[in-house]
Amino acid sequence: MTLQQQDEVAAAPYLDLFAPALHDDPYAWYARAREAAPLCRGPHGLAVVTRHRDVSAALRDPRLGHGTTAGPDRIFSFLGLDPPGHGPLRAVAARFFAPRAIAALGPAIAGLADELLDAALDKGEVDLLSDLAYPLSLRVIGRLFALPEADQPWIRAQTPPIGRLLDPPYSISGPDLAAAEAAAAVFVRYLSARARDRRRRPGDDLLSALIAGSDAGALARRDLIPMFALLVLAGYETTANVIANAALALLSQPGATATARAGARDGQLAPAAMDELIRYDSSIQVTFRTVQRDAVVAGAALPAGTRVALLIGSANHDPRVFARPGRLDLQRSPNPHLSFGAGIHYCLGAPLARLEASLALGRLLARAGHAELATARPRHKDITAAIRGLEELPVRLAPC
């Protein structure tokens, strides 16, 4: 990096990705940073990429990897694997998330959603997170891995402290990091026990397939539990947040529920509507990388070792790509959002998350003649910079 480039990076605007205020309304902060510069400065020496073109390119750039930010002892280490270790177990899991396999899950997911909606409509006023989004996503992921339904409330209780580990370790305070790693250690023991049991009595579930695939070599054996943890925790948590964030967007926008209801077919939202809801308030706001080899990112030459934050939430609201990005347009097309990432780390569970959210929201709109927010300002979680989600979503419902 030349002295001029160093000066340019040093003079770039500063954006604190870990500030609590970002959890309430990140998009106004993103807009100021994005329009000020394509590359901002962040805490812990982070280079913060703000614009869609640059975030998209960086997600696909092999020179930006995870390096040592997620060692093999960390519960989400599979998320941070670069090639070649990234491949073997991902290929096994990918078969379960192929379009045909996901489509086959539709009737079962619809049945689970209807069962939960029966109870919700009887109540009249519900928390859509605890009464629909979380139990649906937990039961679906539980069925994929053949996990006992009785264990699922306990699994959910482990997520808040463990979820801190989705942020890089250098951003977490000592006590928080210790608590997160202690919770992760307990969860790893639980997963290891499930894996030992399934190795003795294999079935046709995803865990059995991963165990069989882990026999392919040392790398795959090392990554079995981290992959299992990632697919269970990140899979159900992000999907629940997709459902709740989308429901909040629909209920907050005049006429949006009627538009979504009119476009729904067979109890599912239209694909364009689902994509727009995923873009509008993404459950993943930022992902982190480390420059492995000197690279040009957002027009700046960054040396190896530079920590980089890719602002997915900002990219999804870049007016250079999305006309009137702050407007919820359920017919928006094209819609090249980056909510599920891009490149080799594109989210494996994206098709499942789309299907679950589409069925949950489509059936909610089909069965509830009236739905409105029961609070003027739902509270957002302040757990991790990476995940955007709600603490609760109180809603009043009336059946058709």
Side-chain angles (χ1 to χ4, degrees), residues 97 102 105 109 140-141 144 235 239 348-357:
F97 294 100
I102 294 301
L105 296 174
I109 295 173
V140 171
I141 210 74
L144 273 179
T239 300
L348 263 180
L352 181 59
R354 288 178 194 273
L355 180 62
E356 284 185 58

Side-chain angles (χ1 to χ4, degrees), residues 123-195:
K123 286 184 180 179
E125 183 167 326
V126 299
D127 173 9
L128 277 187
L129 262 177
S130 61
D131 291 316
L132 178 62
Y134 272 126
L136 178 64
S137 58
L138 270 166
R139 290 181 192 181
V140 171
I141 210 74
R143 288 190 178 195
L144 273 179
F145 285 98
L147 298 175
E149 191 168 322
D151 293 355
Q152 292 168 18
W154 179 85
I155 292 172
R156 183 187 170 190
Q158 309 315 301
T159 306
I162 297 174
R164 293 289 284 118
L165 298 177
L166 286 170
D167 286 350
Y170 53 75
S171 70
I172 309 173
S173 70
D176 286 346
L177 184 59
E181 290 183 338
V186 173
F187 194 63
V188 163
R189 289 197 290 272
Y190 168 80
L191 297 178
S192 299
R194 298 282 74 75

Side-chain angles (χ1 to χ4, degrees), residues 18 74 163-169 171-172 286 288 383-387:
F18 308 102
R74 289 174 60 80
R164 293 289 284 118
L165 298 177
L166 286 170
D167 286 350
S171 70
I172 309 173
V286 58
F288 299 91
I383 298 174
T384 165
I387 292 179

Side-chain angles (χ1 to χ4, degrees), residues 38-383:
L39 192 74
C40 294
R41 294 176 298 115
H44 311 289
L46 281 163
V48 183
V49 185
T50 63
R51 297 178 184 172
H52 185 283
R53 180 185 68 179
D54 301 316
V55 173
S56 179
L59 286 168
R60 295 172 169 86
D61 192 335
R63 295 170 298 178
L64 272 66
H66 293 80
T68 59
T69 61
D73 58 325
R74 289 174 60 80
I75 193 169
F76 291 129
S77 64
F78 187 85
L79 188 65
L81 282 179
D82 300 319
H86 175 263
L89 287 186
R90 182 181 172 100
V92 172
R95 297 199 300 269
F96 284 77
F97 294 100
R100 183 176 296 181
I102 294 301
L105 296 174
I109 295 173
L112 289 172
D114 281 335
E115 179 185 329
L116 293 165
L117 285 169
D118 286 342
L121 289 166
D122 283 344
K123 286 184 180 179
E125 183 167 326
V126 299
D127 173 9
L128 277 187
L129 262 177
S130 61
D131 291 316
L132 178 62
Y134 272 126
L136 178 64
S137 58
L138 270 166
R139 290 181 192 181
V140 171
I141 210 74
R143 288 190 178 195
L144 273 179
F145 285 98
L147 298 175
E149 191 168 322
D151 293 355
Q152 292 168 18
W154 179 85
I155 292 172
R156 183 187 170 190
Q158 309 315 301
T159 306
I162 297 174
R164 293 289 284 118
L165 298 177
L166 286 170
D167 286 350
Y170 53 75
S171 70
I172 309 173
S173 70
D176 286 346
L177 184 59
E181 290 183 338
V186 173
F187 194 63
V188 163
R189 289 197 290 272
Y190 168 80
L191 297 178
S192 299
R194 298 282 74 75
R196 286 193 299 272
D197 181 66
R198 202 62 46 77
R199 188 177 288 276
R200 291 191 295 266
R201 292 183 289 274
D204 58 1
D205 56 278
L206 178 49
L207 176 55
S208 296
L210 289 174
I211 290 169
S214 72
D215 293 333
L219 282 177
R221 286 193 295 274
R222 180 198 69 181
D223 299 330
L224 172 62
I225 297 302
M227 178 65 157
F228 186 12
L230 174 65
L231 290 175
V232 171
L233 290 180
Y236 99 79
E237 175 69 25
T238 54
T239 300
N241 290 325
V242 166
I243 294 169
N245 291 356
L248 176 59
L250 285 173
L251 296 174
S252 301
Q253 302 277 333
T257 53
T259 301
R261 186 181 285 118
R265 295 290 182 274
D266 301 320
Q268 286 187 241
L269 294 187
M274 196 65 251
D275 259 333
E276 175 67 350
L277 290 163
I278 291 168
R279 176 203 72 85
Y280 183 77
D281 198 14
S282 175
S283 64
I284 297 295
Q285 291 285 300
V286 58
T287 186
F288 299 91
R289 299 287 190 271
T290 300
V291 178
Q292 305 298 299
R293 305 191 309 276
D294 293 358
V296 175
V297 179
L302 301 182
T306 303
R307 297 164 173 172
V308 179
L310 306 178
L311 277 189
I312 289 171
S314 176
N316 284 347
H317 281 248
D318 190 342
R320 297 162 187 80
V321 177
F322 304 98
R324 299 176 65 189
R327 175 175 176 262
L328 184 68
D329 179 0
L330 298 179
Q331 283 85 42
R332 189 183 296 276
S333 180
N335 195 336
H337 66 77
L338 299 173
S339 298
F340 293 121
I344 63 167
H345 289 287
Y346 183 81
C347 178
L348 263 180
L352 181 59
R354 288 178 194 273
L355 180 62
E356 284 185 58
S358 180
L359 283 167
L361 296 167
R363 301 185 89 76
L364 171 65
L365 295 179
R367 298 190 56 190
H370 176 76
E372 66 176 7
L373 293 174
T375 180
R377 191 175 176 84
R379 292 180 297 112
H380 284 83
K381 299 171 187 172
D382 182 11
I383 298 174

